């Protein structure tokens, strides 16, 4: 018997390395992007309906578009078109990943909706075909399907899975209001032009990949980097105080997550993570403690 509804759980991500190249003629930037999936999740439930419809619940629900620009809707439409299905489904997003927070929440919902619709419709699409549709939907969507840790090159969508040798303890400070990823890239370009310096070709850091493979938080802390951080701080200067508060509370490193404004703190162990979270309470909107790596989109 066919299932009546399918729910998929999908993780957020933090970039432990985000190396950004110069703007290409098409406006995109080449990236060397090391993604790590973390234990903050959205859940997308798909149910047959009369017409395509999106609903969303959660603290940030009012910031999520419910029309066909929603990445979950776009994923359902892309799969339906490719496999000749009727996209008449209700997609409900139970949102716990901050919106426009630099944690790929929209991308996560796209990957989750794709897997949920694929399971509901029984299309028999291969993993490679699903990843192909993900890459069409957006640079961060393939990683949301795969999870764990991966190196993304090109616009970030060409993925190589990475070995992770242990559990990392993270604290995330959620900020008020989001930052638009394109606006942060524009600020990156503006700052680059202002400084007049040559932007090197983005390359993955071997010591960082070794730290992940070893599962060593101290080595990872010494090697994390985010080329978008100066741009995010330029657009949202108040993040500097949040980063400093986390460092002072014992974080091994503090960085802006992706394009921000969420900030990420790596702790040496679980008790330290709790301590850092306590120190950050009141400094930012919400604090979340979690571990990485987390599995990719999974039917529950
Ligand atoms: P990334 O880390 O991939 O750059 P982000 O985490 O900063 O992205 P998202 O939460 O993905 O940002 O949202 C960016 C914008 O995408 C939102 O402001 C919203 O207008 C739009 N959007 C489309 N679909 C969704 C969705 N399912 N959930 C959240 N935002 C969505």
């Amino acid at each position: 018997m066919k299932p009546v509804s399918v729910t998929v759980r999908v993780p957020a991500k933090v970039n432990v390395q985000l190396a950004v190249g110069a703007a290409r003629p098409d406006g995109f930037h080449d990236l060397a992007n090391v993604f790590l999936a973390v234990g903050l999740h959205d859940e997308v439930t798909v149910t047959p309906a009369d017409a395509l419809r999106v609903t969303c619940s959660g603290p940030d629900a009012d910031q999520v578009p419910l029309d066909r620009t929603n990445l979950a809707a776009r994923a359902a439409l892309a799969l339906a078109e490719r496999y000749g299905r009727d996209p008449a489904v209700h997609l409900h997003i139970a949102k716990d990943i901050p919106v426009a927070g630099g944690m790929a929440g929209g991308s996560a919902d796209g990957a989750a909706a794709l897997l949920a619709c694929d399971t509901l419709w029984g299309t028999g699409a291969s993993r490679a075909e699903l990843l192909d549709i993900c890459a069409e939907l957006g640079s961060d969507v393939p990683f949301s399907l795969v999870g764990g840790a991966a190196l993304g090159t090109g616009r970030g969508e060409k993925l190589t899975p990475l070995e992770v040798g242990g559990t990392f303890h993270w604290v995330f400070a959620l900020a008020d209001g989001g930052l638009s990823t394109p606006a942060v890239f524009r600020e990156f370009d503006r700052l680059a032009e202002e400084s007049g310096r040559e932007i090197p070709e983005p390359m993955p850091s071997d010591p960082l990949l070794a730290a992940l493979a070893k599962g060593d938080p101290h080595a990872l802390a010494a090697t994390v980097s985010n080329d978008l951080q100066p741009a995010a701080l330029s657009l949202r200067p108040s993040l500097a105080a949040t980063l400093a508060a986390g460092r002072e509370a014992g974080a091994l490193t503090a960085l802006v997550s992706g394009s921000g404004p969420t900030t990420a703190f790596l702790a040496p162990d679980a008790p330290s993570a709790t301590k850092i979270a306590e120190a950050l309470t009141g400094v930012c909107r919400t604090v979340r403690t979690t571990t990485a790596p987390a599995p990719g989109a999974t039917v529950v």
Side-chain angles (χ1 to χ4, degrees), residues 107-125:
S107 303
D109 299 342
L114 188 69
L115 182 59
C117 289
D118 183 63
T119 307
L120 183 77
W121 295 335
T123 65

Side-chain angles (χ1 to χ4, degrees), residues 3-37:
V4 239
S5 74
V6 176
T7 298
V8 168
R9 192 166 192 251
V10 65
K13 60 85 188 166
V14 64
N15 302 87
V16 284
Q17 183 185 4
L18 181 42
V20 182
R24 306 190 311 205
D26 64 3
F28 284 107
H29 297 73
D30 281 322
L31 305 174
N33 211 338
V34 180
F35 295 105
L36 184 61

Side-chain angles (χ1 to χ4, degrees), residues 199-218:
I199 298 180
E201 198 182 316
M203 298 290 285
S205 151
D206 288 335
L208 180 128
L209 300 185
L212 271 181
K214 222 173 135 201
D216 178 345
H218 294 270

Side-chain angles (χ1 to χ4, degrees), residues 82-211:
R82 199 180 279 213
Y83 290 91
R85 305 288 160 142
D86 180 359
V89 286
H90 171 205
L91 293 160
H92 179 73
I93 303 168
K95 194 157 235 341
D96 197 36
I97 304 174
V99 175
M103 300 193 79
S107 303
D109 299 342
L114 188 69
L115 182 59
C117 289
D118 183 63
T119 307
L120 183 77
W121 295 335
T123 65
S126 68
R127 191 78 171 165
E129 284 164 326
L130 291 181
L131 281 171
D132 210 39
I133 301 174
C134 286
E136 281 170 22
L137 292 169
S139 313
D140 287 352
V141 184
F143 179 70
S144 300
L145 188 69
V146 171
L151 170 66
T153 50
R155 282 188 287 120
E157 84 289 5
K158 291 177 204 140
L159 288 183
T160 312
L162 294 172
E163 195 192 326
V164 184
T167 301
F168 293 100
H169 297 270
W170 288 92
V171 179
F172 291 93
L174 281 47
D176 274 320
L179 269 179
S180 137
T181 305
V184 175
F185 272 99
R186 280 197 298 277
E187 182 66 0
F188 172 88
D189 292 338
R190 194 189 67 77
L191 292 174
E193 196 168 322
E194 198 175 80
S195 75
R197 74 180 173 88
E198 190 81 12
I199 298 180
E201 198 182 316
M203 298 290 285
S205 151
D206 288 335
L208 180 128
L209 300 185

